[in-house]
Amino acid sequence: MTSTAVEPAGGGWEDYLEIFYAPSKVFARRGSRWGGPLLVLVIVTAIVVLGTKGLLGSLLQQDNARVMAEKMKTMTPEQVAQVQKFGNKTGEFLPYFIIVFTAILPFILGIFYWLVGKVVGATQELGAAFMVATFSYFPRILAGALTGLQAAVLPEEKLTGMASISYSPARFLDPAHTSLGVMALAARFDIFILWTTVLLAIGLKVTGKVTTDKAVIAGVIMFLLGSLPALFQMLRS
């Protein structure tokens, strides 16, 4: 009698828990199935974002004011008025923009992730890249809930912007005396962003059949690509 290898099942609700402590098993089970995880990601993100928007509104306004102050140095009064008007409208729709962006981000991230995987010799399928990219953002849901909790319990004088409730070195910088570029780059070293990067590396090792060293290299490349806007902003400032 010959034995037949049985491929892992597609996964179920347990994947949404195990992704936090047993990601390799989740990636091995899921294969290229990303539709369900994306739907869950968007729904839960919407709940968290809409549930915390009242707590985070003032922090976002403080960050926006600092950005405006920086732009005003090189703008005419008319341009400032237009940007302020646009900024006010943008602030109202920001929570909904975040939800929509969450729905398309795994595809953008997945394509870059898939290409980086090819650079290190991965055999990962594009669908698997979308799946890993989607699951890699699940820690951000936890981050959103925890930042909302901080905004609710911390003293008002401690709340000086989104960085003040982040889990990055930016939390310990004074936004009034630190350039926007440095703040943005420091914010990239957030625990949850690093967690996302680690999940991307693990996912590539599992679905792309690469060595640990190559998976780490791919993770570092992805982190650096995500840091480019902050680096450019720091150089400009």
Side-chain angles (χ1 to χ4, degrees):
M1 181 180 294
T2 58
S3 60
T4 302
V6 178
E7 294 189 3
W13 64 267
E14 65 274 8
D15 289 352
Y16 306 111
L17 297 178
E18 290 189 11
I19 191 60
F20 292 99
Y21 62 88
S24 295
K25 294 181 180 179
V26 176
F27 297 142
R29 285 196 299 262
R30 276 285 168 178
S32 298
R33 299 169 57 136
W34 51 265
L38 179 60
L39 181 61
V40 172
L41 176 66
V42 173
I43 290 175
V44 180
T45 296
I47 293 172
V48 173
V49 169
L50 295 178
T52 59
K53 69 175 183 176
L55 297 170
L56 303 179
S58 62
L59 302 182
L60 292 170
Q61 289 177 0
Q62 292 181 63
D63 288 341
N64 185 57
R66 280 188 283 270
V67 173
M68 285 301 306
E70 186 71 21
K71 290 182 176 180
M72 287 173 63
K73 297 177 182 178
T74 58
M75 296 171 63
T76 65
E78 292 77 13
Q79 290 174 324
V80 171
Q82 291 178 351
V83 172
Q84 286 178 332
K85 183 178 180 180
F86 177 77
N88 292 334
K89 291 183 178 179
T90 303
E92 296 176 5
F93 294 101
L94 182 60
Y96 307 100
F97 172 79
I98 293 174
I99 296 169
V100 173
F101 188 65
T102 300
I104 63 176
L105 183 60
F107 298 104
I108 300 173
L109 177 63
I111 290 173
F112 280 101
Y113 175 55
W114 179 73
L115 291 173
V116 170
K118 296 304 178 186
V119 171
V120 299
T123 59
Q124 185 187 53
E125 296 179 358
L126 186 57
F130 290 151
M131 181 273 296
V132 175
T134 300
F135 270 115
S136 73
Y137 261 74
F138 272 65
R140 304 291 187 93
I141 298 174
L142 181 59
L146 291 176
T147 53
L149 179 62
Q150 287 190 82
V153 300
L154 288 179
E156 187 174 346
E157 62 272 15
K158 297 287 186 180
L159 302 175
T160 58
M162 291 300 295
S164 66
I165 54 174
S166 72
Y167 295 87
S168 71
R171 184 187 187 107
F172 307 103
L173 300 177
D174 182 359
H177 300 91
T178 307
S179 71
L180 296 176
V182 172
M183 291 292 293
L185 185 60
R188 283 289 299 164
F189 291 88
D190 185 278
I191 291 174
F192 292 97
I193 293 178
L194 296 176
W195 191 347
T196 292
T197 305
V198 170
L199 288 178
L200 290 172
I202 294 173
L204 189 64
K205 180 179 179 180
V206 174
T207 65
K209 311 301 183 195
V210 297
T211 63
T212 299
D213 290 344
K214 289 184 177 180
V216 171
I217 291 172
V220 171
I221 293 174
M222 290 299 298
F223 180 82
L224 292 176
L225 287 175
S227 301
L228 287 179
L231 285 170
F232 288 140
Q233 188 175 18
M234 185 178 70
L235 293 173
R236 288 179 61 187
S237 60

